Amino acid sequence: MKKLFIVLSIIFFSWNLFSQEDAWVYLVDKENESVYLADPILMLSQKAIDRKERHGVSIDSRDIPVNETYISALKSANGITILAKSKWFNTVHIRGEKTDIENLFLNQNSLLDPEKRFIDKIVFADRSEAALERSANNKTKTKLETTLTTFDYGNSANQIEMFNGDVLHQEGYTGEGMTIAIMDGGFPNVNNMSAFQDLRNAGKIIDDYDFVNRDDDVYTSTVTDHGTLVLSTMAGYFNGDGKNFVGTAPDASYYLFITEDGSDENPVEESYWVEAAERADSLGVDIINTSLGYDDFDPGTKYDYSDADMDGNTTFITKGANIAFDKGMLLVTSAGNAYATSIGAPADSPNTLTVGAVDSNGDFAFFSSIGTSYQPSLKPDVVTQGLNSFVIDENDNITTTSGTSFSSPIMAGGVACLWQVFPDLSNLEIINLVRESGSQYNNPDYYLGYGIPDLEVAFNNINALYLIGSNTEFDLKLYPNPVTDKLYISLPTEGVFTLNLFDILGKIVNTFQVSNEFNTIITANLANGIYVARIQTSTGTHTFRLIKQ
């Protein structure tokens, strides 16, 4: 079953192309690790370092670049083409005939140093092939509906008012200071369109790169304008001359990355995406929007994923998304347009905010992909308008089109404005605030997830929670925070006290009697999310924000 986010031309492949294999070459080590870790500015921007420090994200060996000496050795190998690289996985994506790939592993000594074996293992994208190890041991893109219609702007307000994103704008939160990377297909005419004139004038299209063609020309693609449409939902702006349009994060800054290859459906696009995510991390990006999904590939290939592979940690792109989350970025991902069948990757990751689609009335859109029990967390997470979404095409026309390709960036822009309010909150805290503001948070399902978010509620909850903290005079502590299985309470005085635990909506979850003798609360069965712990003592009421993960 094909789930296409972008309608692309079918390419007829030669027999020679089908005879080639794609594979990931995992390398044994990196060079100068101590030097890089001692001086992170050699590999990360100051913005990235500051963001990691702000969110308590450690800088580690995954941030160190791939050893270029190893890459040069691989380039010199017979019949091998290098298509992408990943510092997080310390791997290189290659293409070549099976025998050449096998020889690469067997003869690696001759490529670099007779005494040096630098390849840890080789994993074929065709998983029926055995991996080559030192021990010697879909994509489906959801369909982009291309029939665009003109519209009366009055209707376009619905897609931001649906989740009260306009309330954040009225409060002055329009994405200023937040940085969003868009992983997509082409961005034709973004460099000339009047809809992005203010964005360009403010220098808020920071940079761009085409990871497929290895150049910085993202504006002349004739294959698809999908990236342009996606960007418009967040950053498009018209005011006057008969046109009015405001994206959900008009004052955010943007990186435009092409990771989508219009010529075929191949696992290398997963590697392009991971490479772009690594670039985004090194540049200090806050949010990544991905309106792409992978599970089925081109006919005649052997790379397809099964539904069981959508388990949050199997596909290369999903594993990359999990690392991106660990690095402190917030990923917003389209659920897919699979017409009531399951989502693809990386939307299956428990660490992405996966967005499904509804119509203008908030009812389930028939094409929006649904979650399954294979995902380790409920999917989709939330939904926003994806049926007849309002966008701006490459000719500066305000039009409508449909797909979770657009509900995702519409939501991503809203999330950017929310995170702007208190940037010291973590990516997990922001995701949980969005989930917990959902219209059916107490009764989620595989179609709408937690429902339509209410960012006004999330905003108010942030304001309330941000002021919560320990009373230093009383010196009462709850730890660890975030908590997983057990929560400990440290009391500076003797006595038995009442601890009430509330969810984000103010509903009491449980009540405990605590003392220095009984100071442990089991939280293993507590749902992940943000809670408020309130302890009544002889000195007053003490309130804490608590994260369960």
Side-chain angles (χ1 to χ4, degrees):
M1 179 182 311
K2 294 291 282 183
K3 297 186 272 187
L4 300 175
F5 280 46
I6 307 175
V7 171
L8 299 172
S9 301
I10 296 176
I11 304 298
F12 295 94
F13 295 93
S14 66
W15 178 90
N16 183 60
L17 182 56
F18 279 122
S19 70
Q20 296 199 328
E21 299 283 353
D22 275 50
W24 289 279
V25 178
Y26 289 82
L27 305 170
V28 296
D29 56 19
K30 293 181 176 180
E31 63 179 346
N32 300 325
E33 287 199 22
S34 60
V35 174
Y36 279 112
L37 294 177
D39 193 6
I41 199 67
L42 296 174
M43 58 182 174
L44 299 170
S45 69
Q46 190 60 52
K47 188 175 188 298
I49 295 170
D50 292 343
R51 190 200 71 221
K52 291 174 186 293
E53 182 177 352
R54 185 168 65 246
H55 297 303
V57 175
S58 61
I59 295 172
D60 55 36
S61 61
R62 291 176 298 182
D63 296 298
I64 298 172
V66 177
N67 190 325
E68 288 295 332
T69 303
Y70 295 165
I71 293 177
S72 297
L74 293 173
K75 286 180 178 179
S76 70
N78 181 58
I80 299 297
T81 301
I82 292 180
L83 300 176
K85 62 183 177 181
S86 166
K87 65 179 180 179
W88 289 346
F89 292 98
N90 197 24
T91 189
V92 178
H93 190 118
I94 65 169
R95 183 174 296 162
E97 293 187 9
K98 181 183 176 182
T99 54
D100 288 330
I101 294 174
E102 290 172 340
N103 288 334
L104 181 67
F105 182 78
L106 295 173
N107 302 321
Q108 56 181 292
N109 314 61
S110 63
L111 295 175
L112 186 63
D113 182 332
E115 303 299 323
K116 178 71 172 177
R117 294 182 63 83
F118 64 96
I119 299 174
D120 182 48
K121 63 181 177 179
I122 296 178
V123 177
F124 286 92
D126 174 7
R127 291 177 294 159
S128 65
E129 298 285 350
L132 305 172
E133 302 186 43
R134 281 197 293 171
S135 59
N137 181 324
N138 314 273
K139 171 174 174 183
T140 59
K141 301 178 196 159
T142 48
K143 292 181 181 177
L144 165 63
E145 292 74 7
T146 54
T147 302
L148 303 175
T149 58
T150 58
F151 75 104
D152 176 359
Y153 169 73
N155 295 328
S156 69
N158 189 74
Q159 64 197 39
I160 188 170
E161 292 175 354
M162 178 176 286
F163 56 82
N164 278 332
D166 58 313
V167 174
L168 297 185
H169 287 189
Q170 292 166 13
E171 293 288 336
Y173 302 108
T174 54
E176 183 69 43
M178 303 302 295
T179 305
I180 302 173
I182 302 176
M183 318 297 206
D184 217 286
F187 299 86
N189 213 26
V190 166
N191 57 331
N192 296 312
M193 291 167 58
S194 59
F196 302 116
Q197 185 66 51
D198 287 353
L199 199 68
R200 295 193 304 271
N201 288 348
K204 292 191 172 180
I205 298 180
I206 304 176
D207 205 355
D208 56 78
Y209 191 72
D210 182 346
F211 286 86
V212 179
N213 296 305
R214 301 295 171 183
D215 60 41
D216 58 2
D217 180 14
V218 302
Y219 301 123
T220 59
S221 170
T222 59
V223 177
T224 174
D225 66 346
H226 191 261
T228 300
L229 304 180
V230 165
L231 176 64
S232 74
T233 65
M234 292 183 277
Y237 182 76
F238 280 129
N239 184 20
D241 297 327
K243 292 183 178 181
N244 293 281
F245 188 102
V246 180
T248 53
D251 290 323
S253 297
Y254 295 87
Y255 286 97
L256 310 182
F257 294 146
I258 292 179
T259 63
E260 174 61 33
D261 186 353
S263 64
D264 60 41
E265 305 297 328
N266 188 280
V268 70
E269 292 168 287
E270 297 183 68
S271 294
Y272 294 148
W273 187 96
V274 170
E275 194 173 352
E278 293 173 355
R279 174 85 62 92
D281 177 53
S282 68
L283 293 168
V285 164
D286 301 298
I287 295 170
I288 293 175
N289 180 79
T290 303
S291 291
L292 303 167
Y294 298 81
D295 59 6
D296 294 339
F297 296 93
D298 280 317
T301 61
K302 300 165 286 185
Y303 306 139
D304 291 356
Y305 294 117
S306 68
D307 286 346
D309 291 326
M310 298 299 114
D311 62 359
N313 197 38
T314 290
T315 70
F316 190 76
I317 190 172
T318 297
K319 289 187 285 189
N322 291 336
I323 294 178
F325 176 83
D326 288 344
K327 294 295 183 182
M329 291 183 288
L330 195 160
L331 287 79
V332 185
T333 307
S334 294
N337 303 340
Y339 301 91
T341 56
S342 63
I343 63 172
D348 63 320
S349 167
N351 298 314
T352 67
L353 184 69
T354 299
V355 185
V358 293
D359 63 17
S360 60
N361 295 317
D363 296 323
F364 178 73
F366 68 94
F367 54 78
S368 188
S369 296
I370 62 174
T372 70
S373 60
Y374 290 117
Q375 284 83 61
S377 63
L378 183 76
K379 296 294 177 178
D381 292 282
V382 293
V383 288
T384 58
Q385 185 172 346
L387 181 61
N388 293 327
S389 301
F390 288 85
V391 298
I392 304 172
D393 68 18
E394 61 183 299
N395 298 312
D396 263 341
N397 296 318
I398 300 174
T399 62
T400 60
T401 190
S402 299
T404 58
S405 286
F406 309 107
S407 58
S408 175
I410 288 171
M411 187 75 258
V415 168
C417 297
L418 183 65
W419 209 357
Q420 178 192 355
V421 180
F422 290 108
D424 289 341
L425 294 180
S426 71
N427 52 1
L428 176 61
E429 288 179 295
I430 293 295
I431 288 175
N432 281 334
L433 283 162
V434 173
R435 288 170 177 157
E436 291 162 356
S437 74
S439 58
Q440 57 180 42
Y441 175 66
N442 292 317
N443 189 31
D445 58 41
Y446 287 144
Y447 289 85
L448 303 181
Y450 294 105
I452 300 170
D454 186 334
L455 295 193
E456 182 177 16
V457 168
F459 171 77
N460 291 333
N461 286 336
I462 289 178
N463 273 321
L465 290 173
Y466 207 79
L467 299 176
I468 293 173
S470 173
N471 185 320
T472 55
E473 293 181 1
F474 190 63
D475 197 25
L476 185 155
K477 296 182 176 62
L478 275 65
Y479 63 93
N481 191 8
V483 63
T484 52
D485 298 328
K486 294 180 180 180
L487 178 69
Y488 300 96
I489 298 94
S490 174
L491 298 164
T493 187
E494 295 299 322
V496 178
F497 306 111
T498 299
L499 185 152
N500 290 316
L501 193 64
F502 300 86
D503 66 17
I504 196 69
L505 302 179
K507 179 181 177 181
I508 192 165
V509 175
N510 212 331
T511 298
F512 307 91
Q513 298 301 310
V514 297
S515 66
N516 283 326
E517 183 179 0
F518 301 101
N519 66 344
T520 304
I521 294 174
I522 303 302
T523 56
N525 295 325
L526 196 65
N528 291 352
I530 300 177
Y531 295 85
V532 173
R534 185 167 297 155
I535 301 179
Q536 183 69 42
T537 74
S538 57
T539 63
T541 301
H542 309 270
T543 307
F544 301 82
R545 182 180 68 202
L546 181 68
I547 301 172
K548 167 63 168 60
Q549 64 182 23

